[in-house]
Amino acid sequence: MKLRTLWFMLAGLLVGCAAPQTASPQWTAPILPPTVDPADTVMAAAQHNYETYCAHCHGFSGDGQSPASQERTVAAGYHAVPRHDTQGHTWQHPDQLLFQTIKYGIDNPLTQYIMSGHADRLSDAEIRSVIDYIRRFWTDEQRVHQAKLTAQFAENNPGWEP
């Protein structure tokens, strides 16, 4: 009797192993957030603020909205949350626009991006530090380009400071 039970268990195991497998998604190594020297207290605080107020939507590595929720977002008529990394477009905007967006958010549904502002959570200096932290996601060339955009905006809008 025991041999027969053992045989059925072994047969069940073999059948289970031989069952057709569905294709599983390929695993991709996660992109890690930028390294911050803990001795750099300003940048460590900026990383903490980014991870507390931004990363849940924009990703801890600036990789944007989780693919698992993008389909629902698009189906609701909105754009997916933008990436802050090299594949995103954050580096294509001047500091002044980034500052305004972080401080006051985007609440006009016609823009199809809705984001809460953080004026009640972050000081102006903390917002500037978060922008400095986000720059760590970009390439050197993207940082140079973004600095030029920031300078051009300041030149075309004298007296406008974030």
Side-chain angles (χ1 to χ4, degrees):
M1 181 76 157
K2 289 182 181 183
L3 185 58
R4 187 172 184 182
T5 303
L6 184 61
W7 175 252
F8 280 118
M9 289 174 56
L10 181 60
L13 178 65
L14 291 174
V15 169
C17 291
Q21 300 288 320
T22 57
S24 61
Q26 294 295 317
W27 180 81
T28 305
I31 300 169
L32 299 175
T35 303
V36 172
D37 180 357
D40 183 350
T41 56
V42 172
M43 196 51 56
Q47 180 180 24
H48 171 77
N49 286 330
Y50 178 85
E51 290 176 353
T52 301
Y53 302 113
C54 311
H56 61 281
C57 290
H58 294 283
F60 284 87
S61 300
D63 51 351
Q65 183 174 354
S66 163
S69 65
Q70 284 183 10
E71 189 175 322
R72 275 188 319 201
T73 301
V74 172
Y78 295 102
H79 291 290
V81 175
R83 302 172 71 108
H84 287 318
D85 64 7
T86 58
Q87 297 176 33
H89 61 82
T90 307
W91 62 273
Q92 297 174 9
H93 303 293
D95 281 356
Q96 297 86 339
L97 176 64
L98 299 177
F99 181 91
Q100 291 292 109
T101 301
I102 294 169
K103 185 167 184 165
Y104 301 111
I106 301 172
D107 61 0
N108 179 352
L110 296 178
T111 65
Q112 295 191 358
Y113 288 105
I114 296 180
M115 178 180 140
S116 298
H118 298 287
D120 60 337
R121 297 174 194 93
L122 299 171
S123 69
D124 288 358
E126 288 171 324
I127 293 171
R128 287 186 199 94
S129 294
V130 167
I131 294 169
D132 287 342
Y133 177 73
I134 290 170
R135 280 193 190 94
R136 291 173 174 242
F137 296 129
W138 307 337
T139 65
D140 290 340
E141 293 81 13
Q142 289 171 330
R143 283 189 282 275
V144 167
H145 176 79
Q146 196 269 341
K148 287 178 185 176
L149 292 176
T150 298
Q152 288 172 349
F153 187 95
E155 185 178 314
N156 294 328
N157 299 279
W160 197 97
E161 286 294 321

